[in-house]
Each structure stands twice: as C-alpha cells, then as structure tokens.
Amino acid sequence: MFGKNPKRPPENTDGSLLFVQEIFPTIQAEGIFAGRPAIFIRLGGCNLACSFCDTEFENFSQMSLEDILAQVQKHQVQYSKINLIVITGGEPMRQNIIPLCNKLHKNFTVQIETNGTIYRNLPDFVKVICSPKIVNGKYTIPADGLQIDALKFLISASLEHYNKIPDWAFDFKEIFIQPMDEQDAQKNAANNALAVKIAMENNLKLSIQMHKFLQIP
C-alpha cells in the first residue's frame, strides 16, 4: 500500500464477521515458523500507513466465521498435513479475532503477525510475532499486556529510524532482524548488509523473506 491506505481504527464487534482480504496456502517465510507450510488468513485494513508496506489489504470483503473456516477446510483437503495457521493483515488485531482463534485451535497451531499497537486478550495458545513500527519518530512499544513470543524488526540503511533497534527490545526473549524490501536493488543490498551487521553484533536471528525468492504468495 506504500502508505496510501486509510488508517482504520479497531473494530469492536463479537468477531462473528471479519473483513478478509484473502485465504491461501503457502510457506511461512519469516520468524519462528519460517519454512513451515501454512494456511494464511489475511485480514483487511490497518491502523498504520507505512511508506514501505507492499502488501495489498484494502480489497477485502466481510466473511462469517463459518465461511472462513470453510475456505480453510477447502485448502486442508488439498494439503491435509498442514497444521499451522497464520493470521496477518493489514493489522489483524484491529478486529476481534478471538472467536476465530478458538475455532482454529482444534486443528492448528495459530500464529498472529501484528504491529503490536492494539491489545486484545488472546488465548494463551496463540503465538504472537510482533513487528514494531516507527510512529512519531520512534518505535512503538507493544501494547501493555500483549503476550509476545518474538519481535521482528525491519532494517533499512536509508529510511530514518529503521537502521537500529531500540534498547527496550532486549527485554524480550527472541528477536529477529529482517532486511526491508524497498523495491530497489541498491537499497536492498545495503539493507541486507546492515541487517547482518546488527544480527552479528547482537547475536540475534536473521529473518529473510524467503517467499520473495521463491516467488510464492
């Protein structure tokens, strides 16, 4: 969306209907489950508008939980051994995803990808990967009470404030460093080098967007 999307506020609903961009099977390319086959549920809308975001999440439609689960089951027919669901966006915590998580938990490990700015009382079984973003010139600390399994920081050598990670991050047990894709070969090469440098200097895990190399969703 490259920062041109509307900033959408949290939805205060019972979670029986959700705005969904797409549901698709692929390889989880980032973070703690990198390399594992997964079914992605991409939800619509975001509360931020990051200039580097290349994800489409505004062409969404409203779906019932029953219809979402039916689409997931359709993919399971083809890929019966997949047992990981990734709920992403946009910003998935913008909507009440708790009922969806509870339904999915019967058959799947459930992972959320979030910017961490919105709190919801998620079930303990949900794995939360938080990728903090810069707001008003500094990284936003994850919302109070949000249980985080890992942080993932995007690294840019040229984009202001994204060339280092904040001191508070080291209070968390697992941190991934990921070079930002800025749609420019020269910038990306510099981002790769800086991400490796930060990972090496701080003994942190490097995350690469392998789906872009594999040219898969």
Side-chain angles (χ1 to χ4, degrees), residues 36-54:
R36 279 183 58 176
I39 296 173
F40 271 60
I41 301 174
R42 185 179 302 284
L43 299 183
C46 189
N47 63 320
L48 301 180
C50 299
S51 63
F52 51 81
C53 181
D54 60 0

Side-chain angles (χ1 to χ4, degrees), residues 14-85:
D14 64 3
S16 61
L17 296 170
L18 294 172
F19 294 110
V20 179
Q21 175 73 25
E22 55 184 337
I23 300 172
F24 58 96
T26 188
I27 301 293
Q28 168 58 298
E30 307 169 5
I32 62 175
F33 295 121
R36 279 183 58 176
I39 296 173
F40 271 60
I41 301 174
R42 185 179 302 284
L43 299 183
C46 189
N47 63 320
L48 301 180
C50 299
S51 63
F52 51 81
C53 181
D54 60 0
T55 302
E56 172 58 56
F57 50 74
E58 279 295 317
N59 186 28
F60 54 77
S61 58
Q62 194 172 57
M63 295 179 64
S64 67
L65 282 188
E66 291 74 19
D67 287 342
I68 294 171
L69 295 172
Q71 281 208 26
V72 169
Q73 187 175 30
K74 179 181 175 181
H75 293 306
Q76 262 200 305
V77 171
Q78 184 177 5
Y79 301 107
S80 61
K81 295 185 183 299
I82 290 181
N83 58 7
L84 174 65
I85 288 279

